[in-house]
């Protein structure tokens, strides 16, 4: 470089020179801007070098431009240097955000930049930088009071107030020795913060094994964010360990001689603890669960999670129950390209309360088979328990095993175009209660169903064809009351809907033909029976609209009258078993149905006209429904003689009146209700009224009242509401919440279901305490105490079963409170500060 400044006694000249600090081959000739020295014109380059602030600023500007430019592939030495023009121009690559991490192979080719108030050294030898000393590289920045850099070994030694900014995190300490190429070294008296999880801690010493693995000696780990303005700040929780190994590649932290502290109190001392550094799955012991149950007594569960593969895992959950004994449980899940499923099982060798072994099993499998004729969907479901009392003794069993009717099923389904074929076998296990005997449903062994429903039949017609043949088998314990048999039916339905903005009309005709064959003769010696029944229906409605203004808001009101007529002639069906048939509940959906039964063993001899009227209030601007009011009643022209066994014919000409409505009073207030009123007896047969107030997140009050004449009356109250707070973000900081649901039986004058709890959100942890009392029979109830401590970035520690499941299942509109979720920090946010 030609020098135009002539040094004199009054003037010193400073020059920016470019030298090679090639990480791969140190000591080679000029190869581009890979290092900066500020040299004095009157002093030899290999002697003392002192930096000037102005020259360093200029150097930083040059390097800032070069650091953000992505050059073309490297050229041979001398192809582009300060002695001649560059033969290949720089090429810039656009990016939406700065790249946090730099691949090691790229970082090895990137330059090392040194800057500071005073620099001593040579182009190829050791360099010492003092005063705001900095070493920059593509993947890291080291700042210190004093820094030494050896080009030959690529080792940096720093002292004073040392800080490292890297893609993995930020580290602050008193003394550092680090190889900038291999990232091996050690750091003393360290405070660290990881970028991705924002976890941080402090340690006596940190050993860097490579870019992704560290060993922390006599340190701690927490995700609670430090308060810089509180000199007495301490994390709500932390893992304190004699040795803490962090592996970012395996996403695992391993602590030895560890203890989990909460609010300064050791809650879980363990000699060995393995935990994930993010939300990814990993094998290992999960936090134990302690339970207190009014029936089973004290319970202790120690789950073990096995991450078999990215698409397979298993959880083993042995449980010790003080009053019952040992319960061995496990779950296995799998996910493949064409099939998936899960398997769960529990086994108790000896239940001391029941004096027998107990077990349960649940399985789900879904499989897709590809064929030239179309995909075949296969499914399997298994639900089995050991005895009739299982649902009562273990009411929190998953997979629906706490129900009294447990289905097991194999099915195959094929669909192509307008055709659909289904084959299945269904078997039930019925858990009986001496106080409430259930008539078991029939098993279907097997069922074949074929459907044809063309999308474009032409002329606006809709056609539905269906054929079904099912073999029904009764529970052996009820063989005297039930009859095995084979039922086949064919169903054809043709309709022609006319739909317009002002209304609709849909005439339809249906033919249902069925044949029965019974294994044993029915009363009267009947072994076979056939029937064919047509059904005619006409459904019509009109839509009227008007604009109005109410309470200062423009609205659109509709008036929608509807009439539905259906006729089916009478056929005696009283001799037929009800294999899969039941009477429909009286609702707005069933009152407009052509058959008052669901299933195919009863087709009601309806000659009825249903009249209804609905009105909706819509926002004129956004179309949001503010209110809906409906009324409907059925007029019967003839007696309905087809009924369920033991039910008298329906002779009343007018049915009960159905009244329903839903009103959104405001974005916060809403209510709904449905009333069934018996006009002849001048009394309400049943009604359900509900309402809720939800002014914002984590704030909701819900109320309900349900009544069925001569049967039950229940009042219900549910809530989730903040009690007090210290912060601004609902659900994310220092706030107490009350949550619960009360279900009171006015007939029995007692609470039948009670769930009451409190939650606290401490940003990096959440605490929950829930008391649950649920009725499991007419005379018995089960009470549990559930506690949970959720630590952000670690796991959930439960005392009792997970209280979240209880809150989700029983509290209406419950919204889960989550720890504060901060975005990953960026190494560029403080880069160069």
């Amino acid at each position: 470089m030609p020098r135009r400044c002539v040094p004199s006694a009054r003037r010193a000249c400073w020059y920016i020179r470019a030298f090679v600090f090639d990480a791969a081959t140190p000591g080679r000739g000029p190869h581009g801007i890979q290092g900066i020295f500020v040299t004095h014109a009157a002093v030899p380059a290999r002697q003392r070098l002192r930096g000037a602030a102005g020259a360093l600023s200029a150097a930083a500007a040059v390097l800032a431009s070069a650091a953000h430019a992505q050059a073309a592939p490297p050229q041979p030495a001398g192809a582009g240097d300060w002695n001649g023009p560059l033969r290949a121009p720089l090429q810039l690559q656009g990016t939406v955000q700065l790249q946090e991490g730099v691949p090691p192979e790229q970082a090895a080719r990137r330059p090392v930049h040194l800057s500071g108030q005073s620099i001593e050294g040579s182009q190829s030898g050791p360099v010492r930088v003092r005063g705001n000393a900095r070493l920059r590289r593509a993947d890291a920045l080291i700042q210190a009071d004093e820094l030494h850099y050896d080009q030959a070994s690529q080792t940096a030694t720093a002292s004073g107030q040392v800080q490292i900014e890297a893609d993995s995190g930020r580290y602050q300490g008193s003394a550092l020795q680090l190889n900038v190429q291999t990232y091996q070294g050690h750091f003393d008296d360290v405070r660290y913060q990881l970028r991705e999880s924002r976890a941080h801690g402090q340690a006596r010493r940190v050993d860097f094994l490579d870019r992704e693995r560290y060993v922390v000696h006599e340190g701690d780990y927490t995700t609670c964010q430090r308060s810089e303005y509180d000199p007495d700040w301490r994390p709500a929780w932390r893992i304190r360990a004699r040795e803490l190994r962090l592996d970012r590649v395996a996403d695992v932290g391993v602590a030895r001689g560890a203890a989990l502290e909460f609010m300064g109190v050791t809650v879980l001392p363990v000699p060995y603890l393995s935990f994930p550094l993010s939300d990814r799955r990993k094998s290992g012991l999960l936090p134990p669960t302690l339970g207190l149950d009014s029936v089973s007594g004290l319970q202790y569960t120690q789950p073990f999670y096995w991450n078999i593969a990215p698409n397979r895992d298993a959880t083993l959950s042995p449980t010790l129950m003080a009053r019952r004994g040992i319960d061995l449980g496990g779950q296995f899940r799998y996910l493949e390209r064409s099939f998936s499923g899960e398997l769960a099982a529990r086994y108790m060798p000896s239940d001391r309360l029941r004096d027998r072994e107990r077990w349960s099993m649940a399985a789900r499998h879904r499989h897709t088979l590809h064929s030239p004729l179309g995909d075949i969907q296969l499914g399997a479901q298994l639900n089995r328990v050991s005895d009739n009392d299982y649902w009562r003794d273990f009411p929190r069993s998953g997979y629906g095993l706490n129900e009294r009717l447990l289905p097991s099923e194999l099915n195959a389904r094929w669909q192509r175009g307008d055709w659909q074929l289904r084959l299945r076998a269904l078997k039930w296990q019925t858990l009986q209660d001496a106080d409430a005997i259930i008539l078991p449903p029939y098993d279907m062994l097997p069922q074949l169903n074929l459907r044809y429903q063309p999308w474009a039949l032409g002329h606006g017609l809709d056609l539905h064809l269906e054929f079904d043949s099912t073999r029904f088998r009764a529970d052996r314990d009820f063989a005297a009351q039930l009859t095995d048999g084979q039922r086949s039916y064919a169903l054809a339905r043709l309709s022609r809907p006319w739909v317009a903005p002002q209304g609709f009309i849909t005439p339809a005709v249906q033919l249902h033909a069925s044949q029965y064959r019974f294994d044993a003769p029915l009363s009267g010696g009947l072994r076979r029976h056939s029937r064919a029944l047509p059904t005619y229906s006409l459904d019509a409605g009109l839509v009227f609209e008007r604009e109005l203004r109410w309470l200062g808001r423009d609205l659109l009101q509709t008036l929608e009258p509807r009439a539905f007529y259906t006729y089916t002639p009478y056929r005696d069906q009283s001799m037929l078993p009800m294999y899969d048939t039941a009477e429909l509940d009286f609702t707005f959906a069933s009152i407009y149905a052509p058959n008052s039964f669901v299933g195919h063993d009863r087709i009601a001899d309806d000659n009825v006209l249903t009249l209804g009227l609905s009105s909706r209030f819509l926002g004129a601007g956004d179309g949001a429904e503010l209110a809906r009011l409906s009324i409907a009643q059925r007029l019967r022209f003839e007696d309905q003689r087809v009924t369920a066994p033991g039910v008298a014919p329906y002779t009343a000409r007018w049915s009960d009146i159905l009244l329903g409505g839903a009103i959104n009073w405001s974005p916060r207030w809403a209510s709904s209700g449905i009333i069934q009123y018996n006009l002849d007896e001048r009394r309400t047969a049943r009604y359900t009224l509900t309402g809720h107030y939800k002014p914002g997140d984590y704030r909701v009050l819900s109320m309900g009242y349900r009544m069925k004449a001569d049967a039950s009356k229940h009042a219900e109250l549910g809530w989730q509401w903040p009690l007090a707070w210290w912060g601004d973000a609902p659900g994310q900081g220092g706030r107490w919440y009350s949550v619960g649901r009360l279900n009171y039986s006015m007939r029995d004058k007692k609470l039948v279901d009670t769930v009451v709890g409190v939650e606290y959100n401490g940003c990096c942890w959440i605490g929950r305490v829930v008391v649950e009392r649920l009725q499991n029979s007419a005379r018995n109830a089960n009470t549990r105490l559930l506690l949970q401590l959720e630590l952000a970035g670690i796991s959930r520690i439960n005392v009792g079963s997970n209280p979240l499941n209880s809150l989700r299942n029983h509290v209406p509109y419950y919204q889960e409170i989550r720890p504060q979720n901060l975005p990953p920090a960026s190494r560029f946010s403080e880069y160069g500060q």
Side-chain angles (χ1 to χ4, degrees), residues 604-764:
D605 54 328
D606 284 334
N607 185 7
V608 297
L609 173 65
T610 300
L611 300 175
L613 180 66
S614 296
S615 181
R616 294 180 295 156
F617 294 84
L618 311 174
D622 55 10
E625 185 175 281
L626 305 180
R628 172 192 289 266
L629 304 174
S630 300
I631 183 172
Q633 190 177 22
R634 176 181 288 173
L635 171 62
R636 191 176 304 280
F637 297 103
E638 298 178 359
D639 295 346
Q640 179 185 329
R641 292 179 286 172
V642 177
T643 61
V647 178
Y650 296 102
T651 59
R653 290 295 174 257
W654 288 98
S655 72
D656 292 349
I657 299 176
L658 277 181
L659 298 168
I663 303 177
N664 297 313
W665 303 98
S666 71
R668 301 179 177 184
W669 288 92
S671 60
S672 63
I674 183 170
I675 300 174
Q676 179 180 339
Y677 184 77
N678 190 307
L679 195 60
D680 294 335
E681 299 180 5
R682 298 293 191 272
R683 70 167 186 166
T684 301
R686 64 175 180 172
Y687 60 84
T688 299
L689 304 175
T690 62
H692 72 270
Y693 171 63
K694 195 175 190 308
D697 290 340
Y698 314 102
R699 297 184 179 194
V700 63
L701 294 174
S702 63
M703 295 153 286
Y705 187 81
R706 296 172 175 84
M707 187 277 291
K708 187 174 182 180
D710 304 325
S712 63
K713 289 184 180 180
H714 288 268
E716 181 181 294
L717 174 66
W719 71 91
Q720 181 184 20
W721 203 264
L723 298 177
W725 64 91
W726 297 266
D728 298 327
Q732 291 190 357
R735 180 171 290 194
W736 285 93
Y737 296 85
S738 175
V739 61
R741 173 176 168 263
L742 304 176
N743 190 348
Y744 182 78
S745 173
M746 304 181 72
R747 183 185 181 94
D748 300 326
K749 293 183 172 53
K750 68 176 183 178
L751 287 170
V752 292
D753 288 334
T754 302
V755 177
V756 178
V758 292
E759 300 178 291
Y760 179 77
N761 186 356
C763 293
C764 63

Side-chain angles (χ1 to χ4, degrees), residues 391-392 404 430-439 778:
W391 67 277
R392 180 185 293 109
R404 296 181 60 189
T430 305
L431 308 184
Q432 297 292 357
D433 184 355
D435 296 332
I437 299 296
I438 296 177
L439 189 64

Side-chain angles (χ1 to χ4, degrees), residues 516-652:
Y516 290 82
R517 291 189 303 172
F518 307 110
D519 292 1
L522 303 180
S523 57
L526 184 67
R527 280 185 173 271
R528 293 175 179 266
H529 183 77
S530 299
R531 66 176 179 180
L533 282 169
T535 298
Y536 310 94
S537 65
L538 180 64
D539 193 5
L542 297 174
V543 179
F544 301 95
E545 297 179 353
R546 71 163 181 164
E547 297 178 353
L548 74 156
R549 188 172 181 82
W550 186 52
L551 298 178
R553 182 169 182 177
D554 293 330
L555 300 178
L556 181 68
Q557 182 189 6
T558 69
L559 190 65
E560 305 172 35
R562 181 179 179 183
F564 177 78
Y565 174 77
T566 182
Y567 172 75
T568 302
Y570 171 74
R571 297 288 187 276
D572 184 13
Q573 304 163 52
S574 59
M575 78 294 293
L576 298 178
M578 294 185 65
Y579 286 131
D580 61 353
T581 302
E583 192 169 2
L584 285 171
D585 199 8
F586 192 62
T587 64
F588 276 100
S590 64
I591 202 171
Y592 292 105
N595 187 14
S596 54
F597 292 91
V598 58
H600 300 276
D601 301 308
R602 292 290 188 276
I603 300 177
D605 54 328
D606 284 334
N607 185 7
V608 297
L609 173 65
T610 300
L611 300 175
L613 180 66
S614 296
S615 181
R616 294 180 295 156
F617 294 84
L618 311 174
D622 55 10
E625 185 175 281
L626 305 180
R628 172 192 289 266
L629 304 174
S630 300
I631 183 172
Q633 190 177 22
R634 176 181 288 173
L635 171 62
R636 191 176 304 280
F637 297 103
E638 298 178 359
D639 295 346
Q640 179 185 329
R641 292 179 286 172
V642 177
T643 61
V647 178
Y650 296 102
T651 59

Side-chain angles (χ1 to χ4, degrees), residues 14 89 111-112 118 126 180 228 429 439 575 653 682 684 719 827:
W14 300 87
V112 174
S118 174
V180 298
E228 301 294 345
Q429 181 183 12
L439 189 64
M575 78 294 293
R653 290 295 174 257
R682 298 293 191 272
T684 301
W719 71 91
R827 68 187 178 101

Side-chain angles (χ1 to χ4, degrees), residues 46-264:
R46 290 186 178 272
Q47 297 182 14
R48 185 177 182 85
L49 305 177
R50 296 187 180 275
L56 285 172
S57 299
V62 174
L63 288 175
S65 300
H68 292 81
Q70 298 294 328
Q75 303 293 325
D81 52 33
W82 293 106
N83 298 320
L86 291 172
R87 297 180 182 177
L90 294 176
Q91 297 179 354
L92 300 180
Q93 294 180 349
T95 178
V96 176
Q97 61 184 25
L98 295 174
Q99 184 178 3
E100 293 289 346
V102 179
E105 59 276 7
Q106 293 186 19
R109 298 194 299 266
R110 299 292 178 86
V112 174
H113 310 295
L114 296 172
S115 64
Q117 296 177 359
S118 174
I119 302 179
E120 299 177 2
S122 62
Q123 300 178 15
S124 58
V127 179
R128 182 199 294 185
V129 185
R130 295 180 178 177
N132 195 22
R134 297 186 181 186
L135 184 150
R136 285 184 187 268
R137 203 181 181 195
D139 55 350
L141 166 66
I142 301 176
Q143 302 180 85
D145 294 338
E146 183 172 336
L147 187 147
H148 296 257
Y149 179 65
D150 187 347
Q151 301 179 54
S153 63
Q154 303 180 53
T155 301
T157 304
S159 59
Q161 297 181 0
V162 185
Q163 178 172 303
I164 301 177
E165 295 283 350
D167 61 328
S168 61
R170 183 198 303 175
Y171 309 85
Q172 297 173 316
S174 60
L176 168 72
Q177 180 176 325
L178 183 68
N179 186 300
V180 298
Q181 175 64 22
T182 63
Y183 225 76
Q184 295 177 339
H186 61 85
F187 208 172
D188 296 334
D189 303 324
V190 181
R191 287 173 56 185
Y192 68 91
Q193 182 179 29
L194 303 182
R195 299 285 183 197
E196 184 174 357
S197 62
R198 284 187 176 260
H200 63 93
Q202 55 189 6
R204 177 182 60 83
R205 175 187 171 106
V206 174
D207 291 337
F208 298 96
L209 305 182
D210 52 38
R211 298 176 186 276
E212 307 294 343
R213 297 183 300 147
Y214 327 104
V215 180
V216 180
H217 300 276
E218 297 180 16
D220 57 25
Y221 175 95
T222 183
T223 58
C224 298
Q225 298 306 301
R226 180 181 298 274
S227 174
E228 301 294 345
Y229 305 102
D230 185 2
D232 300 324
W233 178 88
R234 61 188 302 177
W237 69 268
R238 65 173 180 168
I239 297 176
R240 177 175 44 82
R242 182 184 71 254
E243 180 183 276
L244 186 64
R245 291 180 174 266
L246 306 178
D247 189 335
R248 294 177 61 209
V249 175
D251 194 47
V252 173
V254 175
R256 290 180 170 83
L260 175 60
E261 293 184 356
F262 180 70
M263 295 300 178

Side-chain angles (χ1 to χ4, degrees), residues 394-412:
F394 306 100
R396 279 87 195 174
S397 302
Y399 294 92
L401 295 179
N402 56 347
E403 303 292 337
R404 296 181 60 189
L405 292 175
L406 303 179
S408 295
E409 179 181 357
L410 293 174
N411 65 78

